[in-house]
Amino acid sequence: MNHSKAVLGLLLAAASLLVLLRGINYSSVAQDARLQRTPQTWTLDAALAQMRLHPQDAYLQYVALQLARREGRFEQVEQEVRALIPNDRTARAERLDSVDLFSVFNGALAVQESLQLDTMRFAATGDPRPAPEPTPDSTNYNRPVPPPARRAPARRRNAPARTTPEAAKEVPKPRRPDVSVSTLSGPTVKSHPWTKMLGARKAEVSALSRFVPEDFYFVEFRTLNKLLEAFDAGDLWGTHLFSQALQEARTLDVGERLKRQLAIETEPALRPFYDLIVEEVAAVGSDPFVREGSDVTLLFRVKQPLVFNLRMNSFLDHAERANPKAKRATAQHLGVEYVQLTTPERDLSVYAAEPEPGLHVRSNSLEAFRRVVEAVKGRDASGRRVRRLGETAEFAYVRTLLPRTESEEDGFIYLSDPFIRRLVGAELKLTERRRMLCYNHLRMIGHAALFHRTERGRWPASLSELQSADAAPGLFGAGALSCPEGGQYALSEDGTTGVCARHGHALHLTPNLEIPVRRVSAEEADEYRAFVTEYNSYWRTFFDPIAVRLKLTPQQYRAETVILPLIDNSIYTSLAATLGGTPEALDARPVPRRNIFSLNLRLDKEQLLKASPPEMREMNEEFFREMGVPRGMAGSMDGTEFLSKGIGNQLGFHIYDARPAFDLNTSGLLGLFLSPGAGRSAASLGSFELLALMGVASLNSPVYISVPVRDAQVVDRFLEQTDVAWAAFTRSGRRGGSRLDLEEDFYQFKLSTGETARGFGLRFGPLKLRFFWARIGDGLYIASKPFILEDLAAMHAPGATTNADTAPGHAAAPSHALARVRADHWDEVLADYRLSWAENEREACLNNLGPLSNVSRALAARPLAGDAAPAQSAGERNRAVLELVGRLHAAHYFCPEGGAYEVAPDGLTVSCNVHGGALQPRQATAPSERSAAGRTMRALNGATATLTFTEEGLHAVVTVDRK
């Protein structure tokens, strides 16, 4: 008996020891015998402190949650991590509560941030349920969501089956059978009757459009250099806009990555060659996810095929010599011989051929290459006819609206009805959904590898090593960390990121066209059906193809599109109800030199006057009676005559050059007031909304409203009549009462040129808001400052200079809406604009310091604490960090001001020699001439946008004038 007790005691002691050892392994990095702490080793407090400085850094989120998992503090830290994530918490809560993997334009990195948080929660707790709500006195953090998995319970989108002990006790529900994707119906929105709409009209289409499947996007340029020029302009403007709007100072180098992948060289010395040899070029593909990884095929029509092919083959030879792992082979499809040159991780992926004389095809996807070759031949491998874009009535009809022969075209972008239908169809949506779930795991493998490098001074050798070193929440490729398509995970050859046998490298995902999903779970099918229901509720009439025509010259960029009248309950419908009638010249009114922005509208005034004459008279009399005018006098004031005969159809809103009182986003404010939503009818635009907009904007800058005058006598008579109403209204209010009462004021005064002007004021205590109006020449003007009326009167005076907007070659075509930015008029406001641009550039630069510091910390770590660091100069350290961060993120990180990033000697932090560090920020009060903002604004002379409603749809033109 005593012997049995002794054995039992030994067994209990051994079990306790095992439990203790297991606890030591996961309790703290400092207690891991295999790991010696260095200054670079992360602690949970250090990770959270860094996250507070860089809350958008997904890697820091990963590190903090992984360390919290080790220390048994996951629930607490997860709440803190979620609280640090910026942006609108209401919108983010909705997104995290059900990650939307069906949005067409979701950014992969933004989706990955949400999926990573969900995956970490499930790995740490095994619980797909939301975390407990915070106490009432704590921050209302966002509710987390379980990570997506292949088999998702119907009750929560993307949630894996529960594996907790409590879940094991539950009675399992019968598993629903998988669903064939081919049985899932897409949106039921019908197509236009293109053949009927085209009728007998003829349109010229390019030869290249006849070599493209109808469900591919199509981008064609007259010359390769115009395509490259468009890329260059997009890079410059995109860099400026991203720095200003999103505070991002990094380029994803999509164009450069594609050129390397396709083995195409475009350095400046080669551009004259392309002008001589290439007649036209097109880029086509099956989906828009180029940043993450998609098929892209280039088609060249060439004038001298032999010379061109020799040059393109030399590019393949260069790429093969530069990539020892590249494999070259030849094959055939439909009798067309092609060469392929590929590397295992797809950073080089070329399929090239000459399907017919004078045509060169070059693709990064074998499946896309075959589809294009089949379009060229007109049949597929089974002998079935291929529907080609250039042969469709749809494409021909759109080409009648935007003729190819017009001089306004250097390039043409077209997203066809079948392309959009494919984009929202079940196959692509569900394939991309699963690819994004896999992409999240691949990015997490990259985070785990960098974390391992930071703790142990070397890159991991395998995924199992990441698990055994507790750098990962589990074994990637197993359980909830598996590829939803069953692909096998592995480390990339350099050990820095993940690779999936099905979905490819994290930086070069396999195109969706090559990996279509055939069967999905019943839950995934339910998700897609819900998406279709929602889509059908918003797009009830027709699919809307998208066509954009581009023109690029040294003096101007021009973009033009036609939006067909397709959508019910949309912005289009609201605009059409407000604007209408015959288009008019909207820039004929005189514009003072200090006018920096104008918005002019051609209102459908007839719609506003549809009420019967008795109703109009009754409304007119009631309005003036409410202003305090006696009943008999109110009946004699005829507002109907003023609206119908006195004034024209146009309404303009204008902003003056002046030092702003505070930083106001005028374009955002304008969009807010012009939005057809927010509980107001678009038909009311031009009354309260414009006056309210004027009131808000006038607090910051001088503004005025302009209305053309048709009959000066009618307008003057009405203004004289309303003088009585304004006087009665202001005198009948409370005057001389409490200091905080709202008081009104009205008076007349004379302008220096003799016109009678009126002033109206609203006083609230010591504050007073004033407006002034007068008929000056053939215009009625309401201004926030009297000097604006003086400037306008001077321009109407005999012998005044011609308005710059109506000078030959500068006036816009007749339209229904016109917006114009006059950058050449910026003077007093420019200093404040420049300060705002410089502040945004500093924010963008400092946002780069998080990823740079993460990499510098990892590179500074050494395998053993006693090892000497390799001798490196400061310049070598800086270059090594920039090179690695660019490789990890497939992006170029830069200071918008051209500053240099400098790594601290211990590698823990990175700073900029222009903007300082996260805790020591600095900047100039204006961007330098070499920055993107400086270069872009220095070249900007102005910008104009026009909207015109036609029988075919809404015609929009945007031009950017360059100095």
Side-chain angles (χ1 to χ4, degrees), residues 700-715:
N700 201 44
S701 299
V703 298
Y704 70 95
I705 289 175
S706 64
V707 178
V709 170
R710 287 184 176 177
D711 190 322
Q713 291 183 349
V714 171
V715 172

Side-chain angles (χ1 to χ4, degrees), residues 101-102 157-158 179-188 420-431 433 520-536 543:
L101 293 175
F102 289 114
R157 181 183 291 184
N158 301 331
V179 177
S180 172
V181 173
S182 62
T183 65
L184 295 174
S185 300
T188 56
I420 297 174
R421 195 175 294 275
R422 168 180 164 75
L423 196 59
V424 298
E427 180 183 289
L428 181 56
K429 279 293 181 187
L430 292 164
T431 300
R433 177 196 185 277
V520 296
S521 68
E523 291 76 19
E524 288 173 308
D526 289 343
E527 289 180 38
Y528 179 72
R529 293 188 186 104
F531 160 78
V532 169
T533 300
E534 184 177 8
Y535 190 98
N536 286 334
F543 271 98

Side-chain angles (χ1 to χ4, degrees), residues 829-852:
V829 75
L830 191 56
D832 291 86
Y833 283 176
R834 285 174 172 162
L835 176 60
S836 178
W837 297 334
E839 290 171 344
N840 290 333
E841 287 187 335
R842 170 181 48 79
E843 278 295 314
C845 178
L846 296 183
N847 285 341
N848 285 344
L849 299 186
L852 291 169

Side-chain angles (χ1 to χ4, degrees), residues 201-512:
R201 289 185 286 184
K202 301 295 183 182
E204 179 181 331
V205 300
S206 67
L208 292 181
S209 69
R210 296 189 179 96
F211 300 147
V212 180
E214 68 170 350
D215 60 349
F216 275 29
Y217 67 77
F218 179 64
V219 180
E220 69 172 338
F221 276 80
R222 298 292 175 88
T223 68
L224 180 60
N225 280 324
K226 283 297 182 182
L227 175 61
L228 297 175
E229 186 180 342
F231 269 113
D232 292 342
D235 284 344
L236 177 61
W237 282 84
T239 298
H240 169 64
L241 294 176
F242 271 85
S243 294
Q244 297 302 314
L246 302 177
Q247 285 78 56
E248 289 186 3
R250 62 180 184 269
T251 58
L252 297 180
D253 292 334
V254 174
E256 290 300 318
R257 279 194 291 147
L258 281 174
K259 285 191 288 186
R260 288 193 298 270
Q261 194 177 44
L262 290 167
I264 292 179
E265 300 174 17
T266 60
E267 56 265 22
L270 287 171
R271 294 197 176 188
F273 162 77
Y274 287 124
D275 270 339
L276 293 172
I277 302 299
V278 177
E279 186 172 349
E280 58 184 352
V281 62
V284 303
S286 65
D287 69 50
F289 309 118
V290 179
R291 292 173 64 173
E292 295 84 36
S294 180
D295 58 283
V296 176
T297 303
L298 299 180
L299 296 90
F300 299 88
R301 281 191 67 208
V302 296
K303 305 170 187 176
Q304 301 180 40
L306 180 61
V307 177
F308 182 83
N309 291 336
L310 285 173
R311 189 53 131 172
M312 298 301 279
N313 288 335
S314 72
F315 295 160
L316 289 177
D317 295 337
H318 296 165
E320 185 177 11
R321 289 193 296 269
N323 293 271
K325 295 173 184 173
K327 293 183 178 180
R328 190 167 186 163
T330 58
Q332 284 191 353
H333 184 62
L334 295 183
V336 175
E337 183 173 300
Y338 63 90
V339 60
Q340 65 182 56
L341 184 64
T342 58
T343 53
E345 293 186 351
R346 212 181 180 101
D347 51 335
L348 181 63
S349 180
V350 187
Y351 301 86
E354 289 74 45
E356 65 176 34
L359 176 66
H360 179 88
V361 176
R362 207 174 189 90
S363 181
N364 67 352
S365 164
L366 179 57
E367 183 60 30
F369 173 82
R370 288 172 174 165
R371 289 284 309 276
V372 170
V373 169
E374 290 168 359
V376 172
K377 296 300 181 181
R379 59 183 177 85
D380 62 15
S382 301
R384 292 172 297 188
R385 179 177 173 272
V386 173
R387 290 181 57 84
R388 303 186 283 196
L389 179 66
E391 296 175 345
T392 62
E394 170 198 338
F395 190 71
Y397 174 76
V398 172
R399 270 315 202 176
T400 65
L401 306 182
L402 298 172
R404 184 172 184 268
T405 55
E406 292 182 351
S407 60
E408 287 84 1
E409 180 172 317
D410 288 326
F412 186 71
I413 302 170
Y414 193 70
L415 310 182
S416 67
D417 176 316
F419 173 80
I420 297 174
R421 195 175 294 275
R422 168 180 164 75
L423 196 59
V424 298
E427 180 183 289
L428 181 56
K429 279 293 181 187
L430 292 164
T431 300
E432 176 65 9
R433 177 196 185 277
R434 289 191 172 183
R435 193 174 74 152
M436 281 298 97
L437 297 179
C438 178
Y439 174 78
N440 170 54
H441 293 158
L442 300 182
R443 297 295 303 187
M444 290 178 66
I445 291 172
H447 295 335
L450 189 63
F451 186 34
H452 183 281
R453 176 69 173 81
T454 306
E455 289 195 326
R456 300 173 185 276
R458 59 178 177 81
W459 295 103
S462 66
L463 297 180
S464 59
E465 183 178 1
L466 289 177
Q467 182 190 30
S468 63
D470 206 14
L475 179 61
F476 285 104
L481 298 176
S482 298
C483 169
E485 278 286 285
Q488 296 298 309
Y489 289 160
L491 274 176
S492 59
E493 289 195 0
D494 59 5
T496 60
T497 189
V499 181
C500 174
R502 176 71 171 171
H503 294 103
H505 194 286
L507 305 182
H508 294 284
L509 294 179
T510 303
N512 288 312

